[in-house]
Amino acid sequence: MTAIKESSTIQQNKKYALGLCPVTYVMEKIGGYWKPIILYHLSTGDKRYSELKRSIPAVTEKMLIQHLTAGK
């Protein structure tokens, strides 16, 4: 994987958007493809692991476990 230059236009635009757009800021903090989907399903209340896995059938066990334990 190639390194992204700090002075690139994309990086400058990203920094600008992070400062102005609260949605961009939150998505940068949450990150990843699965986290917003997991948070959506958890927004209705507590769920056991098996309930969460059943509600998101496309996610693999490995990815679900990684995203659920990332903050520990």
Side-chain angles (χ1 to χ4, degrees), residues 8-36:
S8 72
T9 306
I10 293 172
Q11 290 302 316
Q12 290 174 354
N13 290 341
K14 189 175 178 182
K15 286 179 185 177
Y16 181 75
L18 285 172
L20 294 178
C21 178
V23 173
T24 304
Y25 176 79
V26 169
M27 291 309 294
E28 176 71 18
K29 294 299 177 189
I30 293 173
Y33 175 80
W34 291 109
K35 285 182 186 165

Side-chain angles (χ1 to χ4, degrees), residues 40-61:
Y40 170 77
H41 286 283
L42 290 174
S43 68
T44 59
D46 294 344
K47 286 189 175 48
R48 294 182 179 272
Y49 174 82
S50 59
E51 293 172 317
L52 195 56
K53 177 71 177 114
R54 220 173 309 130
S55 65
I56 314 170
V59 69
T60 63
E61 269 192 59

Side-chain angles (χ1 to χ4, degrees), residues 56-71:
I56 314 170
V59 69
T60 63
E61 269 192 59
K62 179 183 177 184
M63 290 306 295
L64 186 56
I65 290 169
Q66 281 180 349
H67 285 291
L68 291 174
T69 59

